[in-house]
Amino acid sequence: MTGGSQVGESDGHQIPFVEPGQAEGETSRVQRETQPPYDRIKAMILSKAIPPDTKLNIDKLARELGVSQTPVREALQRLEGDKLVVGKKPRGLWTSPLLDEGQLRELIEVRLLLEPWSASAAANDRASNPGREMLAEIDRFVALNERKNEGYALASHDVAFHDMIFYAVGNSFLHNAFRQLHAHLHLFRLYPADLDGTHTIEEHKVIAEAISRADPHAAEEAMRAHLFAAMDRFSLGVRGKDTLTSLGAVRSHVLGAPGSGQTNHVPAPSQSTGSDGTLGRRHD
């Protein structure tokens, strides 16, 4: 699996990547407009351009994306499978709430059951050892320099890095069990304090080096330490100390730049757009 640097048709565990540093032009406009509604809406949810626990209006989304209602409905069905959208009968479809601290702990506990063992199993002295590929992925991310701060870059790197381990293990039941957690999709919305990936990369390097030298015990312990450290970082997001990406940049590259002829207003999380709360934050 690659680092996920492009938005395209993806299976549910992948993170769509939006490049907010890219200059707006004809090429980027065409690329954006050819992105499937599923990826564009997912990017809006993950970036909080559509805030958590928000009612979704299919007609409004179709107009904002410049498509008919049918592909929007199909995209929302897929996003229900990703657990990013939930149905609240008879109140329609809503973006899912963020994880609370208890749910975060439970998610990490499940990952502790799956990933330390997987790291140990991948750390074998065989051609399938993914250590070299994992170190190359770390180098790719570090080479982004200041673009590491864009948030999507870190999330895309994290998906690629952890997937390399599961692919190397070669157990489809294990890999599918991890995908069903949709861990990266839920955690990404919490925006950890480590947004530029400094601590994440240090921990990933220890894991990759242990796997590369075929040291199963060290790989297992490094993965366990990484997951506990990640839980501490994501807890800051649960407690409201998150670091938001620029909603303006996300709007520009998901919906279109102001004045481009497209409807591109997406309110900030504290705003509301009408008495029905269609794109405003509402709670049960």
Side-chain angles (χ1 to χ4, degrees), residues 60-78:
K60 182 180 290 290
L61 280 171
R63 285 187 279 110
E64 288 177 340
L65 299 178
V67 298
S68 68
Q69 291 188 17
T70 297
V72 171
R73 291 181 188 277
E74 292 172 349
L76 294 180
Q77 287 179 347
R78 289 185 65 188

Side-chain angles (χ1 to χ4, degrees), residues 7 24 116 140:
V7 180
E24 180 66 22
R140 182 203 66 79

Side-chain angles (χ1 to χ4, degrees), residues 55-206:
K55 187 174 183 180
L56 296 165
N57 184 301
I58 293 175
D59 179 63
K60 182 180 290 290
L61 280 171
R63 285 187 279 110
E64 288 177 340
L65 299 178
V67 298
S68 68
Q69 291 188 17
T70 297
V72 171
R73 291 181 188 277
E74 292 172 349
L76 294 180
Q77 287 179 347
R78 289 185 65 188
L79 290 165
E80 275 195 275
D82 294 342
K83 306 297 190 295
L84 291 177
V85 169
V86 295
K88 297 186 179 182
K89 295 181 180 179
R91 303 172 62 197
L93 295 174
W94 294 59
T95 53
S96 60
L98 297 179
L99 297 179
D100 60 31
E101 198 150 11
Q103 291 170 325
L104 172 62
R105 183 175 61 253
E106 291 170 356
L107 178 59
I108 295 298
E109 286 175 346
V110 175
R111 292 186 68 177
L112 283 166
L113 294 173
L114 301 178
E115 295 190 75
W117 180 88
S118 297
S120 173
N124 54 62
D125 192 16
R126 296 170 53 197
S128 61
N129 186 303
R132 198 178 306 178
E133 183 182 11
M134 294 164 69
L135 289 168
E137 167 56 28
I138 291 172
D139 290 340
R140 182 203 66 79
F141 176 78
V142 171
L144 294 176
N145 296 319
E146 65 274 3
R147 290 192 55 221
K148 293 184 295 184
N149 297 305
E150 293 173 0
Y152 285 93
L154 176 59
S156 297
H157 160 74
D158 205 46
V159 170
F161 183 87
H162 287 269
D163 259 7
M164 287 173 186
I165 296 174
F166 286 110
Y167 280 123
V169 172
N171 187 317
S172 60
F173 289 96
L174 178 67
H175 201 172
N176 287 335
F178 179 75
R179 288 179 174 181
Q180 288 302 309
L181 295 175
H182 301 288
H184 290 94
L185 298 182
H186 290 299
L187 293 176
F188 179 59
R189 291 195 297 164
L190 296 175
Y191 290 94
D194 186 33
L195 193 62
D196 68 351
T198 300
H199 298 294
T200 298
I201 286 299
E202 290 175 355
E203 294 156 15
H204 279 184
K205 186 171 291 187
V206 174

Side-chain angles (χ1 to χ4, degrees), residues 213-242:
R213 66 175 183 267
D215 187 336
H217 178 71
E220 180 176 352
E221 290 305 308
M223 178 61 78
R224 183 173 289 108
H226 169 53
L227 292 174
F228 276 117
M231 182 171 67
D232 289 339
R233 289 192 291 270
F234 282 112
S235 292
L236 296 178
V238 171
R239 295 164 189 162
K241 299 177 181 178
D242 56 344

